[in-house]
Amino acid sequence: MVYKIWHSRVFKAAGIFFCAALPFFLAGCATAPKMPEETISSPPANSGNAALDWSASGFGQKPAVKTNQPVVTHPNRPPAVLPKPAPVLTWTSLKRWTAEQKIDSPHFLSGTPLTTYAVSSIKGTMILAIGSLEAAWNGVEINLGFEPQLIDDQIFLHELDLEKNLEPLLCGPPLTFGTNRVIVIDPGHGGMNSGTHSVLDGRLEKEFTLDWAERLKPLLETNGWTVFLTRTSDTYVTNASRVVFAGAHHADLFISLHFNSAAPDQTAAGLETYCFTPTGMPSTVTRGYADPWTEKLSSNDFDAQNLQLAMKLQGALLHAIGMEDRGVRHVRYIEVLRGQKCPAVLIEGGYLSNPAEAEKIESAAYRQKLAEAVAAALK
Ligand SMILES: [Zn+2]
C-alpha cells in the first residue's frame, strides 16, 4: 500500500536522523515514583486541564485493525468469543509522561503530512505520528494499540501504549534470559499440517521452518543455551501441545519460526514478528478471529519482555538480511503465543508467495542467515 510504504520511509528517515542525533538527546529513565501533580508543566493558556490525564468512555473509537492482511496460513483455532466491553480510554500527555520518567520532553519533528514527534532516552528513539498506529523504535516499526492524539497542540498517548509499548523500550529494565538459559524453538507446522507453499515450485513451509530451526540449534548451544525443538522431523504437533512442551521443559524463551503467504498476491514482502497483545489493548492483526480485549492470560505476565524480545529479533533480522520491515505486531489469535509461561514470539521470515522472497527462502544460505541473526540477537 502506497501510504504505508511512504509513511514507513518517513518514520525510518526520521529514525535515522534521531539515532544520529541521539547523543544530543540522551537522558536516563526514572525509576522513582511518579512526580506529584504540582510539578507537572502548566497547560497552554487556552487549554483548561490539557496537561492532566483525562479519561472518557468512548473518546475516539477502537482503531480500525489493518484490513490488508494476508490470508490465514496458520491452523490456529480462534479463542473463545468473550463479550467485548466498552473501552475506557485514558490518555496522558507525552510531555507529562517524559517528565515523570525523567527523560527529555518529546521533540516536534514535522507537521506535514503527519504531525510527528520523537521521544528519546539513553536506549533509543521512538518516533510517533498523530493519528497513526505505526511508530518506529530505533528505525524498526512497532504498532501501537491506539492512535496518538493531538490535544491543544500536545501529543497525548493512551496509557496502555505508554505502559506496554513505550516504557519497556525507553525506560524498562533490559531483557534478561533467566539463569537456566533454556530455549524452545518451534519449527512451524509439520506432518499433515504443511503450512503454506512456495509460489515457485510448491515446496512446503514445514520443510523450511524445520531447516531454520536445525540451523539455529547448534548456534544457540554454542552460546550457552540448552535448546529443545518442538519437532525434529516431519511430524504433526498440535499448537496447544507446543505450548505445553515449552512449559514442561521450563523454557526461558519460546520462539516460533514460520514463513508467510499472501497468495494469490505475489507482491507482499518482508519480515514481521508477533507477540501477545497486552490486556485492554486491541490487536494489530485479528484476521477475523475474536480479539477479547479483557482477556488476561499467563502470556500477559511477560508483556514487556515479549515486546523487547520481538523488537530485538526483528531488528537483528532486518539488519542481517535487509528485507522490508513489516513491523512488530500484537496478536491474540496465534495459538502458540497463548498461555505461554515465558516470553514468546513468532517470526515470519519472508513470503513464500512472493517469487523473489521464495527464491531466497529456498536457499540454504538465506536460512543460515536467518538462524545466525536470531542467535546473534540472543547472545
Ligand atoms: Zn506458518
Side-chain angles (χ1 to χ4, degrees):
M1 189 165 72
V2 172
Y3 168 77
K4 174 178 166 44
I5 293 169
W6 174 87
H7 185 190
S8 295
R9 282 180 184 160
V10 169
F11 267 16
K12 279 151 200 171
I16 289 166
F17 165 76
F18 260 82
C19 288
L22 191 58
F24 299 101
F25 302 119
L26 290 186
C29 288
T31 53
K34 291 188 174 186
M35 65 197 302
E37 292 281 332
E38 59 267 27
T39 62
I40 302 299
S41 306
S42 299
N46 63 344
S47 70
N49 64 347
L52 303 176
D53 287 356
W54 58 280
S55 303
S57 286
F59 172 79
Q61 299 298 317
K62 175 186 175 185
V65 295
K66 295 173 181 177
T67 55
N68 62 333
Q69 302 304 327
V71 296
V72 177
T73 60
H74 305 285
N76 296 299
R77 63 171 168 73
V81 177
L82 301 177
K84 184 184 291 184
V88 177
L89 306 181
T90 302
W91 300 78
T92 296
S93 98
L94 187 57
K95 186 176 179 184
R96 170 179 171 168
W97 182 81
T98 55
E100 291 172 352
Q101 299 293 334
K102 295 187 166 46
I103 59 176
D104 287 349
S105 293
H107 298 269
F108 174 80
L109 284 184
S110 171
T112 180
L114 294 175
T115 302
T116 310
Y117 289 85
V119 57
S120 299
S121 77
I122 197 164
K123 298 184 174 186
T125 298
M126 183 82 78
I127 311 285
L128 302 152
I130 302 300
S132 173
L133 294 176
E134 290 181 17
W137 169 247
N138 289 341
V140 176
E141 181 181 318
I142 172 175
N143 286 273
L144 304 175
F146 303 89
E147 297 170 356
Q149 308 285 326
L150 193 63
I151 301 168
D152 290 330
D153 291 329
Q154 283 200 53
I155 178 172
F156 275 64
L157 264 70
H158 191 280
E159 61 178 10
L160 278 174
D161 278 318
L162 291 170
E163 178 187 347
K164 299 295 185 178
N165 283 325
L166 269 69
E167 187 170 334
L169 300 174
L170 282 155
C171 303
L175 180 64
T176 55
F177 300 129
T179 53
N180 296 329
R181 288 179 78 85
V182 173
I183 187 167
V184 166
I185 301 297
D186 175 42
H189 312 282
M192 66 181 181
N193 175 1
S194 301
T196 189
H197 61 272
S198 168
V199 68
L200 299 178
D201 54 15
R203 287 173 69 185
L204 300 172
E205 179 188 356
K206 64 178 182 177
E207 168 196 344
F208 301 123
T209 59
L210 181 58
D211 181 80
W212 182 1
E214 288 176 335
R215 291 174 183 277
L216 175 57
K217 183 172 187 284
L219 299 174
L220 291 170
E221 288 171 339
T222 299
N223 294 339
W225 289 94
T226 301
V227 184
F228 297 101
L229 304 190
T230 54
R231 67 181 179 93
T232 55
S233 62
D234 183 19
T235 50
Y236 175 71
V237 184
T238 67
N239 289 318
S241 63
R242 296 170 197 248
V243 178
V244 172
F245 180 92
H249 288 79
H250 306 288
D252 295 307
L253 293 180
F254 177 96
I255 300 178
S256 190
L257 306 178
H258 286 256
F259 293 97
N260 224 332
S261 173
D265 172 22
Q266 298 191 358
T267 61
L271 292 168
E272 53 201 33
T273 302
Y274 292 91
C275 57
F276 199 72
T277 311
T279 304
M281 186 179 283
S283 293
T284 314
V285 183
T286 63
R287 292 182 178 159
Y289 292 120
D291 189 39
W293 292 18
T294 56
E295 187 175 56
K296 185 174 190 328
L297 301 185
S298 58
S299 313
N300 292 115
D301 295 342
F302 307 99
D303 285 339
Q305 297 96 322
N306 289 339
L307 178 68
Q308 289 176 325
L309 178 63
M311 295 302 298
K312 194 172 177 87
L313 288 168
Q314 179 78 359
L317 285 159
L318 291 171
H319 179 74
I321 58 180
M323 287 166 70
E324 182 181 330
D325 178 13
R326 296 176 64 88
V328 166
R329 299 163 173 219
H330 295 294
V331 289
R332 289 193 176 85
Y333 77 89
I334 291 181
E335 198 174 1
V336 295
L337 300 182
R338 298 175 58 78
Q340 289 281 3
K341 305 287 196 299
C342 66
V345 299
L346 182 147
I347 304 169
E348 296 277 6
Y351 275 80
L352 281 165
S353 52
N354 177 308
E357 293 202 351
E359 187 173 352
K360 288 184 180 176
I361 293 165
E362 290 198 19
S363 79
Y366 176 81
R367 298 194 299 274
Q368 183 67 24
K369 275 190 182 177
L370 290 179
E372 289 172 0
V374 173
L378 302 178
K379 252 186 174 172

